[in-house]
Amino acid sequence: MAQYLNVHIFIFAPLIAWALAQGLKTLFCLLSEKRVNVARLFDTGGMPSSHCAAVTALVTVLGYKIGTTNPLFATAVLFGTIVVYDATNLRRAAGDQAQLLNRVIPDLLSGKMVKPFDYKALRDMLGHSWLEALVGCGVGYLIAFGMVMGLR
């Protein structure tokens, strides 16, 4: 049984870290908005970053289980760096653009500056601040570390 869990820790640790981060987003939303928003369980953006949590959990498990000198660990670190960069820069920029468009388009439509069209607000919470990414990485590390230590 221990061998079964050791092999699957590479999948379970990132999934649990992702699920915990998504659950925390929902909890934080409840605390700040004083309402339950189940959509936050499946939404992107916000505190903490579930992308960062999952990738950090994967890198952590690999480091503990196969060692930090293994080329697979180096590959995972590179992959993780790209994910964190994407979450904090590329997706964040897309969210900033969506926020701007969400402000401009209604003004344009109400001012008759453009022909009316069906406008649906763009999702503007796509990326993460560095703090949200860092907390997500912390969640991922703690989950993976706990699982690795528990399987020894």
Side-chain angles (χ1 to χ4, degrees):
M1 181 66 172
Q3 181 62 26
Y4 173 79
L5 290 175
N6 284 338
V7 171
H8 289 81
I9 193 171
F10 297 101
I11 296 171
F12 290 140
L15 286 177
I16 292 169
W18 174 86
L20 177 61
Q22 289 299 111
L24 287 171
K25 283 182 193 185
T26 305
L27 176 64
F28 294 154
C29 183
L30 172 66
L31 295 174
S32 66
E33 297 177 11
K34 308 291 188 251
R35 67 181 181 91
V36 175
N37 185 352
V38 179
R40 292 299 292 142
L41 283 172
F42 308 100
D43 209 357
T44 60
M47 173 71 86
S49 168
S50 55
H51 290 84
C52 294
V55 77
T56 301
L58 178 62
V59 169
T60 301
V61 169
L62 282 167
Y64 278 105
K65 289 295 187 181
I66 66 171
T68 57
T69 59
N70 189 301
L72 187 56
F73 176 77
T75 303
V77 168
L78 179 60
F79 168 73
T81 302
I82 292 168
V83 169
V84 173
Y85 178 85
D86 178 66
T88 58
N89 290 291
L90 182 64
R91 288 178 45 233
R92 182 74 174 198
D96 291 345
Q97 290 175 10
Q99 285 179 345
L100 178 64
L101 287 171
N102 286 338
R103 285 197 310 266
V104 169
I105 291 176
D107 291 343
L108 291 174
L109 290 175
S110 66
K112 309 281 191 243
M113 297 176 74
V114 295
K115 291 183 179 181
F117 60 93
D118 288 335
Y119 167 70
K120 180 180 175 195
L122 302 169
R123 291 184 53 234
D124 56 13
M125 189 180 277
L126 300 173
H128 299 282
S129 68
W130 279 104
L131 177 63
E132 293 168 343
L134 183 62
V135 172
C137 290
V139 168
Y141 176 80
L142 291 174
I143 291 296
F145 180 78
M147 291 181 74
V148 167
M149 293 298 129
L151 293 176
R152 286 189 172 201

